[in-house]
């Protein structure tokens, strides 16, 4: 699923967002950041692939929005069990150990990082907006390889999530999704094109369609199962 880890850097200080996915990748990320100070970690939402960590990233705080952090605490055994498929046993106890973060911006000495909270995809999904750089770290939305996943919070919440993200998408020079490639403004695969593709898929699913979304044809087989779940969530027959 081309899972992305994101590092926001300012001098020797960094914020690490959604580090993933395998033990080897986490090892390399920690080695790459050796000598830097990890001010905090940020998990965009309470799914196991966005709640990983590595001892080499330090013992600083790891944050999520209040809803996401509480969900992670409630389901921590489930998150840790899911992670056993791709991380080594010594990393499993670190999965999901995040704290509630109440602020609207992350507290550090670097450029402003705003938290954009919504309930699309997962409750308390916390995207990050860097206004000076005009970069949106979108979490599990706006992907070129993953269809919108509606089963957890439903189509209405996903539509509201897209509406919440729209002004940032329209202002963005770049969007970094949790899965897939980055996209930049001024080209065919632009931030607004990604947003429109997600909205078009949502409209199609609510009408009982969506089977022709190109992400389904190019992605792993489980996306078809997710598409079926989306149709059921929208009250449509698969």
């Amino acid at each position: 699923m081309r899972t992305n880890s994101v590092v926001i850097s300012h001098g020797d200080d960094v914020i690490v967002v959604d580090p993933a996915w395998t033990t080897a990748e986490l090892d390399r990320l920690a080695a790459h950041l050796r000598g830097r100070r990890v001010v905090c970690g940020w998990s965009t939402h309470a799914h196991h692939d966005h709640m990983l960590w590595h001892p080499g990233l330090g013992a600083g705080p790891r944050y999520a929005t209040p809803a996401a952090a509480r969900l992670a605490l409630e389901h921590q055994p489930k998150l840790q069990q899911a992670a056993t498929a791709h991380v080594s046993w010594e990393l499993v106890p670190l999965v999901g150990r995040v704290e509630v973060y109440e602020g609207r911006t992350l507290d550090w000495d670097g450029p402003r990082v705003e938290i954009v909270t919504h309930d699309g995809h997962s409750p308390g999904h916390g995207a990050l907006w860097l206004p000076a750089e005009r970069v949106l770290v979108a979490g599990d939305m706006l992907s070129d390889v993953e269809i919108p996943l509606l089963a957890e919070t439903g189509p209405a919440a996903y539509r509201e999530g897209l509406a919440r993200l729209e002004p940032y998408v329209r202002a963005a020079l770049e969007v970094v999704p949790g899965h897939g490639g980055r996209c930049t403004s001024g080209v065919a695969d632009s931030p607004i094109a990604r947003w429109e593709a997600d909205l078009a898929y949502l409209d199609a699913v609510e009408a009982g369609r969506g089977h022709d979304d190109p992400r389904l044809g190019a992605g792993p087989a489980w996306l078809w199962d997710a598409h079926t779940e989306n149709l059921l969530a929208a009250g449509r027959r698969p």
Side-chain angles (χ1 to χ4, degrees):
M1 287 306 296
R2 293 167 60 193
T3 304
N4 293 318
S5 304
V6 177
V7 175
I8 304 171
S9 179
H10 177 71
D12 288 334
D13 289 348
V14 298
I15 295 170
V16 179
V17 184
D18 292 347
W21 158 262
T22 67
T23 300
E25 290 168 335
L26 291 165
D27 286 345
R28 290 196 297 270
L29 179 61
H32 179 69
L33 295 177
R34 190 173 294 123
R36 312 287 292 278
R37 184 172 76 101
V38 178
V39 176
C40 67
W42 180 259
S43 290
T44 55
H45 59 288
H47 290 170
H48 79 276
D49 52 326
H50 297 263
M51 290 259 163
L52 305 174
W53 200 248
H54 189 282
L57 298 174
R62 298 166 53 194
Y63 296 128
T65 69
R70 290 170 187 139
L71 194 62
L73 178 63
E74 180 181 352
H75 295 289
Q76 191 174 49
K78 181 180 177 181
L79 297 175
Q80 292 180 346
Q81 179 61 38
T84 61
H86 54 89
V87 299
S88 55
W89 65 267
E90 65 268 19
L91 299 183
V92 170
L94 301 177
V95 176
R97 294 175 59 179
V98 294
E99 304 174 28
V100 169
Y101 192 84
E102 301 276 5
R104 296 183 178 180
T105 63
L106 292 180
D107 184 18
W108 75 320
D109 293 333
R112 182 177 176 89
V113 180
E114 300 176 6
I115 301 164
V116 184
T117 305
H118 57 81
D119 292 323
H121 186 76
S122 183
H125 193 295
L128 299 178
W129 171 244
L130 283 67
E133 293 76 12
R134 294 170 59 188
V135 172
L136 178 66
V137 181
D140 274 5
M141 312 264 295
L142 310 174
S143 172
D144 59 338
V145 299
E146 183 177 79
I147 57 172
L149 303 180
L150 313 178
E152 189 169 345
T153 58
Y158 207 98
R159 189 175 294 276
E160 291 169 3
L162 287 174
R164 177 83 171 101
L165 291 175
E166 182 179 7
Y168 302 95
V169 169
R170 293 191 179 278
L173 291 177
E174 183 174 20
V175 167
V176 185
H179 303 279
R182 301 182 298 178
C183 63
T184 57
S185 63
V187 299
D189 184 24
S190 66
I192 192 60
R194 293 274 185 96
W195 184 88
E196 289 173 346
D198 276 2
L199 184 62
Y201 174 80
L202 182 58
D203 289 342
V205 165
E206 291 182 322
R209 303 190 308 271
H211 305 75
D212 58 348
D213 190 288
R215 291 169 288 192
L216 287 170
W222 69 262
L223 283 181
W224 284 102
D225 295 332
H227 176 62
T228 297
E229 293 175 351
N230 288 344
L231 290 167
L232 293 172
R236 297 293 182 175
R237 293 180 63 184

